[in-house]
Structure formats: C-alpha cells, structure tokens
Amino acid sequence: PRADGATLVIAANRLPSGNYALTYTDISAQKKRDRDARAAAKSAREEADKAAALTQLVISELNLGVVVADEDDNIILANHYIDELYPNAKGVMSPGANLKDTLGIIYDKEITKFNDDTSNAEAFDRETFVERTIANFLKPDWTGAIQTSDGRWIEARNRRLENGLMIGTRVDVTDARRTQERLKRQLTDIEMFK
C-alpha cells in the first residue's frame, strides 16, 4: 500500500532490448470489495449464530417436546423436553441420530401402545411400531397418541415440509385423557339412571 492507502501491483516485463517495462495496476477497489465481502460474511455468520441460539432458547423453553429431522430422517434438533417425555430413553433423540434407530430404542424402553388417531390405541410389536411410525413421518401432516410404559399418554404431531424437513411435537396429555375418561364414565352413569 502507498501512503495514500492505494494498493498497487507492480509487474516488470523484460523487453527484447534488455530493458524492463514496469506496469502499475491499482487494485485498491478490489481489495476494498474483498474486505467488505469478508466483513459481510462474518456479520452474516454472527447473525445466523444469534438466530440459531435464539431458536434453540425458544424451543428449549417450550413446555412441549420438539424434534426436527432432515429429509433423510436424521435428527438435527431435539429439545430437552423430549428426554422428559421419554426418561428411559434419555439422550436417544439427539442431533445426528437416525429416526428409525431411535424409534426402536424408544419402543424397547418406553412404548406400550400406539395409534394413528389419538382414540383407541393398540399394542404393536417393535417392527410394526417402527414401520408405521416411519410411514407416518413421511405424511405431510399426522397426529397420533402413544402410551408409555408408565401409563402416560403422549400426543404426537408431525409435519413434513416441502423441503423434506420433518417437525415433530410431543405433549403429555395424560391429565386430559384421564379427565375425558372420567367424563365418559359419568355420562354412562347418568344414562344408566335415566
């Protein structure tokens, strides 16, 4: 760089006479564009990191389990509430894990009943559970219910986006189901006394 801040490239070319011809090329504008591009890329990375951190914070504070998988069904995000919903399979649904593999482990450790419409659940064997669940992950929109080994009910909702991402949410609906069952029994009792 020169004293005035300009950056020059000097090229010396030997002439047939034996003398040298010097050419000076001002590359100040190119250098500035390069610096500006590096600064913009750094700023974009910082903004993306902030957005990712904020997204992770928001997802971790939700009172619901969230799992996101890519188009190949590899988990790219799962919040801590997933582990609370499936304590016997803690850490299984973590970034990098494949959904099919995790479903088998969760079935082995947690699941007793499963269904596709949140009404009457059936008991399935491991292979059927994994196959049906993977099939449901491929649907654009799916809701189902899972009963865990300790008797809790988890409502599962999956949404497959056009870009292939799958967003799944899980909520413990045990209290709501118990209330619903109690109301059904009360209605049955009322009908019996009419």
Side-chain angles (χ1 to χ4, degrees):
R2 292 190 324 199
D4 66 358
T7 302
L8 302 176
V9 172
I10 303 169
N13 294 311
R14 189 175 185 138
L15 301 173
S17 66
N19 293 327
Y20 286 92
L22 299 176
T23 56
Y24 297 86
T25 306
D26 186 347
I27 61 167
S28 302
Q30 179 183 345
K31 287 285 196 179
K32 183 179 181 326
R33 284 191 303 273
D34 290 349
R35 280 191 308 273
D36 291 349
R38 281 193 300 276
K42 181 181 178 188
S43 177
R45 277 192 307 275
E46 289 170 353
E47 287 300 314
D49 290 346
K50 284 180 189 176
L54 178 61
T55 301
Q56 189 66 26
L57 175 66
V58 169
I59 289 173
S60 70
E61 292 301 317
L62 295 173
N63 194 22
L64 95 144
V66 177
V67 62
V68 179
D70 65 17
E71 61 277 1
D72 297 320
D73 290 334
N74 294 311
I75 297 171
I76 55 177
L77 182 133
N79 70 350
H80 70 91
Y81 197 68
I82 289 287
D83 287 340
E84 291 177 30
L85 291 171
Y86 306 115
N88 295 329
K90 191 172 188 170
V92 170
M93 283 197 152
S94 58
N98 183 273
L99 282 174
K100 187 173 185 176
D101 298 335
T102 61
L103 289 170
I105 295 168
I106 289 172
Y107 178 88
D108 292 341
K109 296 179 180 242
E110 290 282 354
I111 307 303
T112 57
K113 293 182 181 176
F114 168 80
N115 80 348
D116 293 343
D117 64 7
T118 70
S119 58
N120 297 320
E122 302 175 50
F124 291 130
D125 61 61
R126 182 185 206 264
E127 185 177 323
T128 303
F129 170 77
V130 171
E131 286 176 9
R132 288 185 69 172
T133 303
I134 289 295
N136 289 328
F137 283 157
L138 298 174
K139 294 177 182 176
D141 199 18
W142 173 83
T143 300
I146 299 165
Q147 186 175 28
T148 61
S149 56
D150 62 4
R152 291 177 299 112
W153 283 95
I154 309 297
E155 182 178 89
R157 293 176 184 254
N158 297 332
R159 179 171 215 101
R160 183 66 74 166
L161 305 180
E162 286 182 19
N163 65 3
L165 286 179
M166 190 281 301
I167 301 171
T169 58
R170 305 292 182 267
V171 179
D172 188 330
V173 293
T174 306
D175 292 340
R177 275 189 167 256
R178 287 180 182 152
T179 300
Q180 189 178 33
E181 289 300 316
R182 190 177 66 244
L183 289 173
K184 281 182 185 177
R185 284 192 306 271
Q186 289 173 348
L187 286 172
T188 302
D189 290 348
I190 289 170
E191 289 297 319
M192 286 176 37
F193 290 112
K194 282 187 174 183

